[in-house]
Amino acid sequence: MLSGSQTSEFAERGFVVVPQVVRDDLLDRAARRIDEVVAADPPAADKRGSHFYYLRTEDEPALMAPLTGSPAFALAEELAGAGTLEVPWQVQVALNIPPYSHRPGLPHIDAGNPEPTGEPVSGTFTLLAGVLMTDQLTENSGNLWVWPGTHLTHAAYFRDHGPQMFCAYPPVDLPEPEQIKGRAGDLLLAHYLLGHNIGGNYASEQTRRALYFRISALDHASRRDEFLQDPWLDYGPLRSQ
């Protein structure tokens, strides 16, 4: 179970890293499957930085097990409410290949349009669950960057300006970013509206590996506009606090 301080951290900062959620045997199976995926479609020899594979979860039991064969999915439902989340249909294998000298400028939220289009809101989800597949104990080792609290400032922006302003880069005031650190088997839970971005990998000689699952509440798709303006719409337990 999440502790009270972990739940409060998620509410206030928009993310929490829960240590050692996934067992070693599940990590080993998933790592072997990642090896197979990469070997079948390797990045170019000169590729540096981010490289992604998007796979259907129904075809990938070894990659799905770190989420549903561990406490990870149940921990996500502690934030959203038991029985309220859909099992995701897709898993992202995320690599960050060194040496990659990069510092992100701005955060984004996951939206296909960098600027507002006026089109109906699509592509949103409730939370991101990330399983670290390699140790990331120091900064600039392929870590994900996050901007704490921006789940709340993004929601305030959409309340003030309307969901028609939905885009990947809402113009909000930004705090100092942080880099996610942890060990293989740690679980990142992050609010959809939390600003984040890809970091560099120049303090490590190891390719950073992670699995990302984009998880939605059962009725999320029918109320995307409202969710953008109310960050706790899909989080019943947090609304009641």
Side-chain angles (χ1 to χ4, degrees), residues 216-236:
S216 293
L218 293 170
D219 55 353
H220 176 88
S222 66
R223 51 184 192 171
R224 298 182 195 273
D225 287 9
E226 189 178 354
F227 175 76
L228 291 180
Q229 301 169 83
D230 178 358
W232 306 124
L233 186 67
D234 289 353
Y235 295 87

Side-chain angles (χ1 to χ4, degrees), residues 14-239:
F15 71 97
V16 64
V17 178
V18 188
Q20 298 302 282
V21 171
V22 183
R23 301 192 315 265
D24 287 346
D25 60 319
L26 298 181
L27 291 175
D28 290 343
R29 284 182 56 209
R32 290 195 295 271
R33 179 55 185 150
I34 293 172
D35 289 341
E36 294 173 353
V37 170
V38 173
D41 183 18
D46 60 351
K47 174 65 177 177
R48 298 293 181 266
S50 59
H51 189 76
F52 304 139
Y53 302 88
Y54 296 92
L55 306 168
R56 295 184 62 86
T57 53
E58 66 180 14
D59 300 326
E60 298 293 343
L63 299 183
M64 194 61 179
L67 180 70
T68 56
S70 79
F73 192 76
L75 291 173
E77 286 203 318
E78 285 190 35
L79 298 172
T84 65
L85 296 179
E86 293 182 310
V87 174
W89 68 272
Q90 185 183 73
V91 55
Q92 177 187 4
V93 177
L95 312 181
N96 193 318
I97 304 168
Y100 182 47
S101 180
H102 171 71
R103 291 181 64 87
L106 293 173
H108 66 267
I109 57 177
D110 286 345
N113 48 304
E115 297 180 353
T117 64
E119 297 294 321
V121 175
S122 64
T124 61
F125 52 90
T126 300
L127 62 81
L128 179 74
V131 176
L132 304 191
M133 293 298 301
T134 53
D135 291 348
Q136 300 163 49
L137 303 180
T138 59
E139 294 187 347
N140 305 311
S141 299
N143 318 60
L144 182 72
W145 287 44
V146 296
W147 278 255
T150 48
H151 63 310
L152 301 178
T153 50
H154 283 138
Y157 176 82
F158 292 127
R159 282 197 302 273
D160 291 343
H161 299 278
Q164 71 275 7
M165 299 304 293
F166 173 67
C167 64
Y169 299 96
V172 300
D173 292 334
L174 296 172
E176 288 296 313
E178 296 183 14
Q179 299 187 41
I180 298 296
K181 293 186 286 186
R183 295 185 179 276
D186 290 358
L187 172 69
L188 167 69
L189 297 173
H191 195 287
Y192 168 77
L193 287 170
L194 181 74
H196 60 280
N197 216 329
I198 298 163
N201 191 356
Y202 53 87
S204 164
E205 297 181 354
Q206 179 186 44
T207 294
R208 189 290 313 262
R209 289 180 167 190
L211 299 175
Y212 290 125
F213 303 90
R214 292 164 174 84
I215 303 175
S216 293
L218 293 170
D219 55 353
H220 176 88
S222 66
R223 51 184 192 171
R224 298 182 195 273
D225 287 9
E226 189 178 354
F227 175 76
L228 291 180
Q229 301 169 83
D230 178 358
W232 306 124
L233 186 67
D234 289 353
Y235 295 87
L238 298 185
R239 289 181 69 86

